[in-house]
């Protein structure tokens, strides 16, 4: 079954066209990596898939459900790691994760497991605003995977992370890391070689339009670099 | 639904206890306003219509401060999106926010009413306290319903600090009128009587109507 089916997707903000004529299909368990310069529409694309933005034209099916009509059936099956951590600065890392765990009907044991896996147990009871950006990113990753989503949407997941932290988060958001190995991922990246290494399919966006859409094996890093020129 | 409301309420309480931005600000505003009235009117005590008017207008403006801040942490820190991604009923947020605002108003009144009695009020509140509490409770429910609706509408706009009060004031006016008319007989020096039933009924009906309107509209306000 296709995890994503997008046909002629368009989304605008006022007069500005953020996405136009985006069409693609992604099979379950595959990874789509989206490249493109700032303002190319990568984040908008992720937010549409996450049901946070309505498509203004085209057909979007996520995990077999049509958006926005069946968005209610997609929520809870999607994990989003956005630019913003979607966490409260005045709550501790653990309080934030427990809050989201309650919303998703997940037990607190899972929270503690994730904090342990991300080497955050020692700082789990400190308020988020006192943590470094890298630590906040780790907590945000824990929030995104807390409910073991079928579709993981990751906007530059390794930003602010040092090499040791990248090693810690990789088992949580890497390919085939869920028990069934069927997790589908959409990753926005600015790193051509790192992104290509993870991708099954590559989408290159320029000014909201697809400039590149191909299997990753057929894409050269130079073509991705071309998107940014 | 109940579990989601409980999770949201717990989060609201923790955020308020750690930031102390809403309730202390509202309470301080109310007490300061009574001091201003005390000197501006050049009177040691007020009663009747004037007393009821001062009390309700002050509570209204203090409530606006709380309404304006009700969704700020969610909007600024991405809490809205985090909530919208969860497989929960969206009206749980309406219930939790309205209960939060109701809680803020109760604490505000625990500070403001004694301060009002001390700084401005001529008659003693003693025997009329149950009637006053009844009127305040009805007014608070209406303010919480209208305030939550308006705050959710305003917070996603760029002019939220302006739009919130501009929308809230006309919508809250009937509550101030009803509240003041119901309170006035309680605050007279001569023969204080209980709050008139028709004004209590008016407040109750307003609460019901805006409760239903908020419930019907809230999901759409959270939508993109």
């Amino acid at each position: 079954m296709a995890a994503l089916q997008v046909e002629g997707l368009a989304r605008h903000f006022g007069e500005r066209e953020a996405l136009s004529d985006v069409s693609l299909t992604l099979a379950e368990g595959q990874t789509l990596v989206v490249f493109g310069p700032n303002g190319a529409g990568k984040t908008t694309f992720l937010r549409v898939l996450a049901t946070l933005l309505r498509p203004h034209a085209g057909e979007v099916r996520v995990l077999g459900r049509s958006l926005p009509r069946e968005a209610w059936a997609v929520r809870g099956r999607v994990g989003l790691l956005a630019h913003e951590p979607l966490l409260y600065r005045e709550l501790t890392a653990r309080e934030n994760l427990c809050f989201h765990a309650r919303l998703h009907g997940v037990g607190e044991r899972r929270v503690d497991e994730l904090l342990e896996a991300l080497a955050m147990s020692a700082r789990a009871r400190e308020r988020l605003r006192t943590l470094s950006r890298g630590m906040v990113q780790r907590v945000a990753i824990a929030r995104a995977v807390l409910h073991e989503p079928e579709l993981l949407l990751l906007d530059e997941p390794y930003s602010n992370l040092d090499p040791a932290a990248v090693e810690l988060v990789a088992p949580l958001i890497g390919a085939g890391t869920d028990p069934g190995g069927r997790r589908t991922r959409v990753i926005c990246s600015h790193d051509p070689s790192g992104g290509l290494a993870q991708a099954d399919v590559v989408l290159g966006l320029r000014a909201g339009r697809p400039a590149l859409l191909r299997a990753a094996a057929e894409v050269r890093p130079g073509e991705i670099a071309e998107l940014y020129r | 639904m109940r579990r989601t409301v409980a999770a949201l309420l717990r989060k609201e309480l923790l955020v308020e206890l750690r930031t102390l931005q809403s309730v202390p600000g509202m309470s301080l505003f109310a007490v300061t306003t009574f001091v201003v009235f005390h000197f501006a009117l050049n009177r040691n005590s007020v009663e009747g219509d004037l007393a009821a008017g001062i009390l309700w207008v002050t509570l209204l403006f203090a409530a606006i401060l709380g309404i304006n801040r009700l969704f700020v942490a969610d909007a600024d820190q991405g809490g809205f999106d985090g909530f919208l991604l969860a497989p929960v009923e969206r009206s749980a947020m309406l219930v939790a926010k309205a209960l939060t605002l109701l809680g803020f108003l109760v604490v505000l009144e625990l500070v403001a009413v004694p301060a009002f009695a001390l700084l401005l009020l001529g008659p003693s509140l003693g025997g009329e306290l149950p009637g006053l509490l009844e009127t305040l409770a009805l007014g608070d429910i209406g303010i919480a319903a209208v305030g939550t609706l308006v705050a959710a509408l305003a917070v996603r706009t760029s002019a939220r600090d302006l739009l919130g009060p501009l929308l809230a004031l006309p919508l809250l006016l009937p509550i101030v009128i009803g509240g003041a008319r119901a309170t006035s007989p309680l605050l007279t020096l001569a023969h204080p009587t209980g709050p008139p039933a028709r004004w209590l009924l008016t407040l109750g009906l307003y609460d019901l109507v805006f409760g239903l309107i908020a419930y019907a509209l809230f999901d759409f306000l959270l939508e993109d």
Side-chain angles (χ1 to χ4, degrees):
Chain A
M1 189 186 82
L4 294 182
Q5 285 174 288
V6 180
E7 189 62 48
L9 166 64
R11 167 74 205 199
H12 51 80
F13 295 103
E15 295 291 299
R16 192 176 68 79
E17 214 167 48
L19 282 176
S20 178
D21 204 22
V22 178
S23 301
L24 61 89
T25 301
L26 189 70
E28 200 176 65
Q30 285 196 317
T31 297
L32 168 73
V33 177
V34 187
F35 293 101
N38 296 331
K42 303 186 297 297
T43 299
T44 303
F45 183 59
L46 281 198
R47 289 178 66 80
V48 169
L49 298 182
T51 75
L52 293 175
L53 288 178
R54 284 167 172 263
H56 286 156
E59 280 288 317
V60 179
R61 291 185 76 82
V62 173
L63 302 171
R65 303 292 192 142
S66 176
L67 300 186
R69 204 177 61 250
E70 297 178 296
W72 57 270
V74 174
R75 290 180 197 123
R77 298 170 67 193
V78 173
L80 172 69
L81 177 70
H83 276 302
E84 293 292 319
L86 315 189
L87 301 166
Y88 293 91
R89 288 192 289 269
E90 296 304 327
L91 302 187
T92 67
R94 193 172 188 284
E95 285 166 349
N96 266 296
L97 293 179
C98 285
F99 169 63
H100 284 279
R102 286 185 199 109
L103 293 184
H104 286 273
V106 174
E108 291 190 7
R109 202 168 141 193
R110 168 81 175 149
V111 170
D112 293 323
E113 281 170 9
L114 284 169
L115 287 167
E116 185 71 35
L118 292 166
M120 284 295 298
S121 298
R123 308 289 299 271
R125 291 174 198 280
E126 292 177 30
R127 289 191 210 182
L128 214 67
R129 67 179 168 83
T130 66
L131 300 180
S132 70
R133 288 176 68 120
M135 285 180 171
V136 172
Q137 181 76 352
R138 280 193 248 172
V139 182
I141 287 170
R143 180 198 50 71
V145 301
L146 189 65
H147 51 297
E148 302 187 77
E150 294 161 61
L151 173 64
L152 203 46
L153 307 169
L154 306 167
D155 203 346
E156 298 176 48
Y158 301 112
S159 61
N160 301 316
L161 296 181
D162 59 35
V166 169
E167 276 186 35
L168 286 173
V169 304
L172 297 175
I173 60 173
T177 49
D178 54 318
R182 294 169 65 180
R183 178 180 287 164
T184 309
R185 300 183 305 159
V186 179
I187 305 173
C188 292
S189 175
H190 286 302
D191 171 15
S193 55
L196 266 182
Q198 300 191 67
D200 296 301
V201 180
V202 169
L203 170 67
L205 289 173
R206 193 187 280 141
R209 291 175 178 273
L212 176 69
L213 179 61
R214 234 179 294 154
E218 300 166 10
V219 179
R220 287 174 293 107
E223 288 179 89
I224 295 164
E226 194 62 35
L227 289 167
Y228 294 84
R229 292 202 181 104
Chain B
M1 172 84 151
R2 204 180 301 167
R3 198 186 59 206
T4 310
V5 171
L8 287 163
L9 275 176
R10 187 185 150 89
K11 183 264 296 174
E12 295 292 336
L13 185 67
L14 282 173
V15 170
E16 176 58 19
L17 283 174
R18 298 216 175 126
T19 58
L20 293 176
Q21 284 185 343
S22 295
V23 176
M26 292 161 75
S27 306
L28 197 61
F29 175 86
V31 174
T32 312
T33 306
F34 293 141
V35 173
V36 170
F37 271 119
H38 180 85
F39 288 109
L41 294 173
N42 199 19
R43 291 165 69 163
N44 285 330
S45 67
V46 290
E47 60 147 336
D49 289 343
L50 182 59
I54 290 172
L55 177 64
W56 278 94
V57 167
T58 304
L59 291 177
L60 169 73
F61 286 126
I64 295 281
L65 293 182
I67 290 168
N68 246 14
R69 296 212 57 81
L70 196 59
F71 284 97
V72 167
D74 305 279
D76 289 353
Q77 299 171 33
F80 261 136
D81 287 348
F83 175 77
L84 293 179
L85 288 165
V88 294
E89 281 183 58
R90 291 172 171 197
S91 46
M93 185 174 258
L94 167 73
V95 176
K97 289 289 184 182
L99 287 174
T100 302
L101 186 55
L102 196 61
F104 289 178
L105 291 168
V106 169
V107 179
L108 161 72
E109 284 152 9
L110 285 174
V111 176
V113 173
F116 176 64
L118 200 71
L119 288 165
L120 277 168
L121 191 61
S124 161
L125 269 177
E128 304 309 320
L129 202 56
L132 180 64
L133 293 179
E134 192 182 355
T135 312
L136 286 172
L138 285 171
D140 288 350
I141 292 168
I143 293 171
V146 173
T148 306
L149 185 66
V150 164
L153 187 67
V155 78
R156 296 191 129 189
T157 66
S158 54
R160 68 182 178 207
D161 291 336
L162 188 65
L163 197 62
L166 283 179
L167 288 173
L169 283 172
L171 290 174
L172 292 174
L173 194 60
I175 294 175
V176 173
I177 294 170
R181 297 284 164 87
T183 310
S184 177
L186 307 172
L187 307 180
T188 53
L189 275 171
H191 300 289
T193 57
R198 71 186 170 112
W199 287 112
L200 292 181
L201 190 65
T202 305
L203 283 172
L205 278 174
Y206 200 78
D207 294 352
L208 181 68
V209 168
F210 263 89
L212 291 173
I213 290 173
Y215 187 77
L217 290 181
F218 195 74
D219 280 17
F220 296 106
L221 296 181
L222 293 189
E223 285 285 339
D224 161 41

